[in-house]
Amino acid sequence: MRAFFRVMWREVGIIARRPILWIATIGIPLFSALFMTTIFGDGAIRDIPIGVVDRDFTSTSREIIRTIDSSPTLHVVRHFNSSGDALQALRKRDIYGYVIMPADLSRNMELGTPAAIPYYYHYAFMSVGAQVESTLRTLLTMASVDPMIVAANEMGVSEEQMECFVEPLNSDTHPLGNPSLNYRTYLAEPIFFIMFQIVILITTVYVLGSEREHGRVWLAAAGGNIITALVGKFVPYAFVFAVSGMAAIYVMFDVAAIATIGLWGMVGAMVGLVVASISLALFVYSLYPRMSLILSAVSVIGSLGATLSGVTFPIDSMYPIFRYVAFALPIRHFTFIMQNMLYVEGGYEAVRWHAAIIVAFCLLPLITASRLRKTIINGGYEER
């Protein structure tokens, strides 16, 4: 036990002398949390710039354009003389969509002749494109129904009866987990923890690699026991990272809401992610202790979490090989547990296997501990 505390207090002294470690363990995580909570604004996409090409030049087309512009999601910023000019602006991303009011639109609507209002949108940006498409579809559907309701009123049919005829089946939408359709709700938390894992991985490799000149001193402080050396060295980092992670959760979520979904569950998941990430970095480093190479390797591993965590694309829809790779990342299991607590509330039974895998990650350094000890003793720690 004395050896453990010797190593731990030695590391605390190292941390105190290196401001870069305070920045990595506290500064970057808290800055990232504040950044992620503010980058999406109020969480809603508003005033997306679009254009119009009016070939009808009637009060009907102008009214439709005003209806589109009145939407909080869209904002008509330019009127184009031709669809070619509008397409060029779309490709240059001056606008994210445009609507064409065809010639004789007003006359066709008055005669009851089918009239199509084409619209184009930039779907390379999926979230923006989806918003433009859904908003235009809704607004243009409403615009096509309004003249029919007016004509029916002139014939003595009530507005309620006409609406039942035109739209006999209404949808009743309930977006569970994110009823306000707020982008910040489902993007800020997972993206932050993906960044958080990358910081943990890189910091662990840096801390371990910085011992290349003092490896024998570090091992001697632990009484020659590599497990004691590793645990004593990284307990301070695990503690500070866990505290930083919990502070980030408090920044991103309402405290009362956290209490209702299980504060201790979040604490456990956070500690598990921190320890599993440190253990993964130790395991990878022990395989081939070259800091420059391993820094690149863990950066790639951490970056893969952006996709393989299952936030941006469903894991089950990926090719089997990538589904298996996803299970080799702690962030995948942490994300599953957090989303289950936040949105599904499935309880422990729903996440027990993911929790078990995170615990298994924490044991990875035991596999390569003897290899790392030999590396330290033989002086192979140094960069070549």
Side-chain angles (χ1 to χ4, degrees), residues 154-370:
E154 294 176 352
M155 296 169 58
V157 180
S158 68
E159 184 172 327
E160 291 78 10
Q161 290 175 320
M162 189 60 193
E163 287 181 349
C164 289
F165 174 75
V166 173
E167 194 174 5
L169 200 62
N170 292 319
S171 60
D172 189 10
T173 306
H174 299 276
L176 301 178
N178 187 11
S180 62
L181 302 179
N182 190 310
Y183 275 81
R184 186 172 60 196
T185 298
Y186 71 88
L187 283 180
E189 176 260 327
I191 291 177
F192 164 76
F193 286 113
I194 290 167
M195 297 169 59
F196 189 47
Q197 186 192 35
I198 295 174
V199 172
I200 295 173
L201 292 170
I202 291 176
T203 302
T204 301
V205 170
Y206 169 79
V207 169
L208 193 57
S210 64
E211 288 284 10
R212 63 183 181 270
E213 295 178 1
H214 310 286
R216 294 188 181 91
V217 176
W218 166 39
L219 192 59
N225 190 313
I226 187 62
I227 300 299
T228 302
L230 290 174
V231 175
K233 187 174 186 63
F234 287 100
V235 160
Y237 297 99
F239 175 78
V240 177
F241 272 128
V243 171
S244 297
M246 285 306 303
I249 288 178
Y250 272 79
V251 169
M252 291 187 290
F253 296 100
D254 179 68
V255 178
I258 293 176
T260 60
I261 61 177
L263 177 60
W264 292 112
M266 282 194 169
V267 171
M270 171 61 61
V271 173
L273 174 68
V274 171
V275 178
S277 300
I278 291 174
S279 300
L280 178 61
L282 292 175
F283 174 77
V284 174
Y285 191 98
S286 300
L287 294 177
Y288 190 67
R290 294 283 298 274
M291 190 162 70
S292 58
L293 178 64
I294 300 303
L295 279 174
S296 300
V298 296
S299 298
V300 171
I301 292 171
S303 300
L304 287 173
T307 299
L308 297 181
S309 63
V311 175
T312 57
F313 193 82
I315 297 293
D316 293 338
S317 298
M318 296 181 181
Y319 289 117
I321 185 173
F322 296 110
R323 293 203 294 268
Y324 299 141
V325 171
F327 272 85
L329 300 176
I331 191 65
R332 163 61 182 146
H333 308 285
F334 171 81
T335 300
F336 184 92
I337 294 172
M338 287 291 287
Q339 290 186 338
N340 187 273
M341 287 192 294
L342 290 170
Y343 309 129
V344 182
E345 299 181 7
Y348 174 73
E349 290 296 320
V351 302
R352 66 183 187 278
W353 290 113
H354 292 274
I357 293 174
I358 286 181
V359 173
F361 272 107
C362 300
L363 303 177
L364 277 177
L366 298 177
I367 300 174
T368 55
S370 59

Side-chain angles (χ1 to χ4, degrees), residues 116-149:
I117 301 179
Y119 57 90
Y120 300 80
Y121 53 95
H122 208 313
Y123 210 61
F125 306 94
M126 290 187 65
S127 49
V128 176
Q131 288 285 334
V132 172
E133 191 275 334
S134 62
T135 304
L136 285 176
R137 184 178 67 249
T138 301
L139 294 176
L140 294 177
T141 299
M142 293 170 55
S144 66
V145 170
D146 286 342
M148 298 173 63
I149 294 177

Side-chain angles (χ1 to χ4, degrees), residues 20-178:
I20 189 173
L21 295 176
W22 287 102
I23 295 173
T25 56
I26 298 175
I28 294 177
L30 293 183
F31 171 79
S32 300
L34 291 170
F35 180 73
M36 293 310 303
T37 54
T38 56
I39 188 174
F40 297 108
D42 61 1
I45 300 179
R46 302 183 186 278
D47 294 328
I48 301 173
I50 67 168
V52 294
V53 180
D54 192 352
R55 295 173 179 169
D56 190 46
F57 297 107
T58 64
S59 59
T60 300
S61 64
R62 287 193 293 271
E63 181 63 28
I64 294 174
I65 293 171
R66 280 194 294 269
T67 300
I68 294 172
D69 197 32
S70 65
S71 165
T73 305
L74 305 178
H75 178 43
V76 178
V77 295
R78 288 181 64 180
H79 289 253
F80 296 94
N81 296 323
S82 68
S83 57
D85 294 339
L87 180 60
Q88 186 176 6
L90 181 66
R91 287 173 174 168
K92 293 167 62 178
R93 286 179 290 191
D94 294 334
I95 57 175
Y96 288 90
Y98 63 92
V99 184
I100 299 177
M101 300 296 162
D104 300 328
L105 173 65
S106 177
R107 185 169 65 86
N108 289 336
M109 292 180 70
E110 290 174 359
L111 296 175
T113 304
I117 301 179
Y119 57 90
Y120 300 80
Y121 53 95
H122 208 313
Y123 210 61
F125 306 94
M126 290 187 65
S127 49
V128 176
Q131 288 285 334
V132 172
E133 191 275 334
S134 62
T135 304
L136 285 176
R137 184 178 67 249
T138 301
L139 294 176
L140 294 177
T141 299
M142 293 170 55
S144 66
V145 170
D146 286 342
M148 298 173 63
I149 294 177
V150 172
N153 285 333
E154 294 176 352
M155 296 169 58
V157 180
S158 68
E159 184 172 327
E160 291 78 10
Q161 290 175 320
M162 189 60 193
E163 287 181 349
C164 289
F165 174 75
V166 173
E167 194 174 5
L169 200 62
N170 292 319
S171 60
D172 189 10
T173 306
H174 299 276
L176 301 178
N178 187 11

